[in-house]
Amino acid sequence: MIAFENVDKFYGDFHALKDISISVREGERMVICGPSGSGKSTLIRCINGLEFHNSGVLTVDGVEVFEGSKEILNLRQEVGMVFQQFNLFPHLTVLENLMIGPMKVRKMPRAEAEKTARKYLDRVHIPEQADKYPAALSGGQQQRVAIARSLCMESRILLFDEPTSALDPEMINEVLDVMVELAETGMTMVVVTHEMGFARKVADTMVFMEEGRIVEVSPPEIFFTNPSSDRCRMFLEQILEH
Amino acid sequence: MTAAPDTNIVLKGRELPRPAKVAQVVDSVTFSVALYTLIVGIIVYGAYSGAQAMGYNWQWYRVPQYFYQQTDDGFQLGEIVVGLGQTLVLSGAAFALAVILGLILALLRLSGLVVCTAVSIGFLELIRNIPLLVLLYLFYYVLGPIFGYDRYAASILCLGVFHSVLISEIFRAGINAVAKGQWEAATSIGMSKAQAYRYIVLPQSIRFMLPPMTGEVVHMVKSSAIVSVIAVAELTTIGRNIISDTYMSFEIWFTIAAVYMVVTLILSVGVSFVEKRYAVEQ
């Protein structure tokens, strides 16, 4: 479904991704962790073309991703993204936030778009917030709306870029619960997060990155108990000791 | 405030020292109002006594006829009101042109394409560095004969172009003020750049643009007075005409100034009302 082959990415002189080769199967849930600045966000932002890699081949859903590709707009409809800062549209109500993509991009009739929007708002457990503006919602609710917004596009892949990092601790679980439910539906998910409890529960594959390289790729049973690299072991000890 | 808002509350902490007596007096509203009245009074008295000293013959009673007249034919609007109407039509047309041109300039500038950015910056610097009066002469005496348009078209083009560069900067600032995450969110649901502008970025940037845009409307109404130098019929030209007929220069210029002031004040108040409503909707 997603395949990186020897992908490199630079920001000016900074070598952000170094020779990345990894693939994600349809329905696979991959969790990526690593220290800040290790290239995790850059990696998933390349998948839907928010950033473009400089060399190597990246194919998503059979389509090659590169800057200037004619297919990129169509591809983005198939790849939803949830951001750390939610990025809801503040001038639109919750319902309109969910409807604008289907209506303007997928050319769905209004009535159908509203039906879809309400369905997914139910799915993230906040149907009663439909007519409010995002600013009136808590962080956890906003992030759930953001997830619903991606779902409304009926995307086949969902990318999560540290979805709970900007949330107050008591709101993290309501978002993670929604993500676990999503995982159970068989959605292909690539999640950058440090929520190891969530990772243990849903991940098929764990990835550890450092300094732009993929250091470790293993199933969670091995990743958490017996990682092959010392650096990964140290990282896990640091974030799990609390 | 040093005292507790509710006298039932017993404050345990020590009371803080009050500001000095002088500072208390200077900060008071009464003092400000008195000082303001004094300064305005001095200016008005100076102007009035100066006019008296030169033996100016005030004829305020002759002014109202230029606003309206009650003749045998019935009620008629006076020259000043007609002139004001022409000023508003002229400014309105020029402002519409300026907004369209300004948006195009701003989008060219933000397009990220080297050629478009260069064209936009070049145009901006060219217009911004020519005095409005010279620009008007260029549009009327040079471009007018070449392209065969009249003085009225020249005025609208000149004002429109001059203000478009100012407005393009307002657009640019407003668009840049919208968070980068909004672009990313719009992009990630598959919107094209045009759709992201149309549905996500521009609607949000209006909030940032309204206050400076108000200033620009007021500025436009005021700078439209300059077209009186090529004798386009509008408020200032009418004022000059009336004065050359009646020699009442003091009364008429005061009146014209007051009319401009009333119009621009109404515009400012009106737009700030719109701003408030827009802010509540958010």
Side-chain angles (χ1 to χ4, degrees):
Chain A
M1 195 100 187
I2 305 171
F4 287 80
E5 288 169 46
N6 310 108
V7 167
D8 279 77
K9 162 82 185 162
F10 295 86
Y11 292 108
D13 287 339
F14 180 66
H15 201 167
L17 294 180
K18 295 171 187 161
D19 191 21
I20 300 289
S21 294
I22 196 168
S23 61
V24 182
R25 281 172 287 111
E26 179 150 17
E28 182 172 351
R29 275 95 55 176
M30 179 180 282
V31 171
I32 305 174
C33 59
S36 66
S38 60
K40 322 177 287 285
S41 288
T42 309
L43 183 77
I44 71 165
R45 287 161 65 88
C46 282
I47 297 174
N48 70 344
L50 280 184
E51 310 279 353
F52 291 100
H53 58 286
N54 301 102
S55 68
V57 179
L58 167 58
T59 45
V60 178
D61 204 11
V63 179
E64 191 179 344
V65 180
F66 59 93
E67 193 160 13
S69 162
K70 295 264 183 291
E71 303 282 338
I72 196 81
L73 289 183
N74 290 329
L75 181 70
R76 283 181 185 138
Q77 297 178 28
E78 305 302 329
V79 185
M81 184 151 193
V82 175
F83 300 88
Q84 184 177 359
Q85 299 295 341
F86 330 135
N87 296 350
L88 293 178
F89 306 131
H91 62 303
L92 302 175
T93 63
V94 165
L95 204 59
E96 289 166 341
N97 262 277
L98 305 193
M99 288 161 63
I100 194 153
M103 281 171 63
K104 302 304 176 190
V105 179
R106 290 225 191 257
K107 311 290 177 207
M108 194 186 271
R110 173 172 271 277
E112 199 187 327
E114 183 171 339
K115 216 176 122 210
T116 316
R118 290 198 187 276
K119 179 176 92 185
Y120 285 115
L121 216 46
D122 263 349
R123 175 86 71 85
V124 298
H125 314 302
I126 37 174
E128 72 283 0
Q129 310 290 349
D131 298 315
K132 291 192 184 163
Y133 283 93
L137 271 54
S138 72
Q141 291 171 329
Q142 289 193 40
Q143 192 61 298
R144 285 186 282 155
V145 172
I147 292 172
R149 179 172 66 184
S150 296
L151 293 173
C152 280
M153 291 303 290
E154 310 277 2
S155 308
R156 301 168 56 210
I157 303 173
L158 272 189
L159 310 173
F160 294 82
D161 190 0
E162 306 210 24
T164 57
S165 304
L167 293 175
D168 291 336
E170 78 269 23
M171 293 170 183
I172 290 177
N173 278 333
E174 64 188 55
V175 171
L176 291 179
D177 287 346
V178 166
M179 290 169 63
V180 170
E181 287 166 30
L182 260 180
E184 285 160 2
T185 66
M187 173 78 78
T188 310
M189 292 164 77
V190 181
V191 185
V192 171
T193 187
H194 290 152
E195 294 295 335
M196 290 302 137
F198 167 81
R200 271 209 181 94
K201 209 179 288 177
V202 307
D204 298 313
T205 312
M206 293 296 304
V207 174
F208 177 74
M209 286 184 75
E210 189 181 40
E211 290 176 355
R213 281 201 179 80
I214 290 178
V215 178
E216 171 114 17
V217 182
S218 52
E221 312 82 88
I222 297 172
F223 187 86
F224 288 111
T225 52
N226 192 21
S228 56
S229 74
D230 291 343
R231 188 61 193 86
C232 182
R233 196 189 313 266
M234 273 166 58
F235 179 78
L236 285 174
E237 277 167 11
Q238 272 168 7
I239 61 171
L240 292 176
E241 74 187 4
H242 298 292
Chain B
M1 290 297 126
T2 46
D6 183 344
T7 45
N8 293 328
I9 300 176
V10 180
L11 296 179
K12 285 184 184 154
R14 161 180 78 86
E15 222 180 280
L16 294 169
R18 287 163 167 277
K21 210 72 183 165
V22 179
Q24 283 184 42
V25 171
V26 172
D27 281 347
S28 74
V29 176
T30 329
F31 183 80
S32 305
V33 170
L35 189 65
Y36 180 78
T37 317
L38 181 71
I39 293 170
V40 172
I42 290 172
I43 293 170
V44 170
Y45 177 76
Y48 180 75
S49 60
Q52 291 300 101
M54 63 184 276
Y56 189 81
N57 177 23
W58 294 95
Q59 304 177 67
W60 281 109
Y61 66 92
R62 290 175 65 191
V63 173
Q65 61 170 317
Y66 297 109
F67 283 92
Y68 63 89
Q69 274 177 310
Q70 198 76 38
T71 61
D72 297 341
D73 302 337
F75 183 82
Q76 280 182 321
L77 289 177
E79 286 179 64
I80 289 181
V81 178
V82 173
L84 174 62
Q86 280 157 337
T87 284
L88 292 181
V89 170
L90 182 77
S91 314
F95 193 74
L97 176 67
V99 166
I100 294 165
L101 263 179
L103 183 59
I104 293 172
L105 282 175
L107 294 181
L108 284 180
R109 178 86 181 264
L110 292 168
S111 67
L113 302 170
V114 181
V115 183
C116 295
T117 311
V119 167
S120 176
I121 294 178
F123 186 79
L124 195 117
E125 291 302 332
L126 178 75
I127 301 300
R128 200 157 53 177
N129 290 303
I130 299 176
L132 180 54
L133 186 57
V134 176
L135 197 66
L136 182 64
Y137 287 152
L138 277 174
F139 268 97
Y140 183 49
Y141 292 114
V142 181
L143 299 177
I146 295 175
F147 294 104
Y149 54 73
D150 63 2
R151 60 186 72 209
Y152 198 72
S155 318
I156 291 177
L157 281 174
C158 169
L159 288 170
V161 166
F162 183 75
H163 283 268
S164 72
V165 301
L166 306 173
I167 285 176
S168 84
E169 291 291 272
I170 295 175
F171 274 120
R172 196 165 69 95
I175 289 168
N176 282 339
V178 175
K180 188 162 160 272
Q182 294 291 310
W183 279 108
E184 292 182 348
T187 306
S188 73
I189 55 171
M191 284 194 177
S192 65
K193 204 167 181 191
Q195 285 174 321
Y197 263 120
R198 163 92 177 70
Y199 301 113
I200 307 301
V201 176
L202 285 180
Q204 290 183 58
S205 51
I206 287 173
R207 198 159 35 113
F208 302 110
M209 292 173 193
L210 264 180
M213 211 56 114
T214 317
E216 209 46 47
V217 172
V218 169
H219 188 184
M220 172 68 89
V221 171
K222 290 187 295 180
S223 60
S224 73
I226 204 165
V227 306
S228 65
V229 301
I230 56 169
V232 170
E234 49 72 68
L235 189 53
T236 307
T237 312
I238 297 283
R240 278 160 58 133
N241 292 348
I242 296 174
I243 290 165
S244 58
D245 290 345
T246 63
Y247 300 104
M248 299 194 293
S249 47
F250 283 25
E251 294 89 332
I252 296 299
W253 284 135
F254 274 131
T255 308
I256 299 288
V259 171
Y260 274 114
M261 225 177 84
V262 167
V263 169
T264 52
L265 279 178
I266 289 173
L267 281 173
S268 305
V269 172
V271 177
S272 68
F273 183 73
V274 173
E275 265 166 44
K276 275 196 194 108
R277 270 194 53 182
Y278 196 81
V280 170
E281 257 179 48
Q282 292 280 314

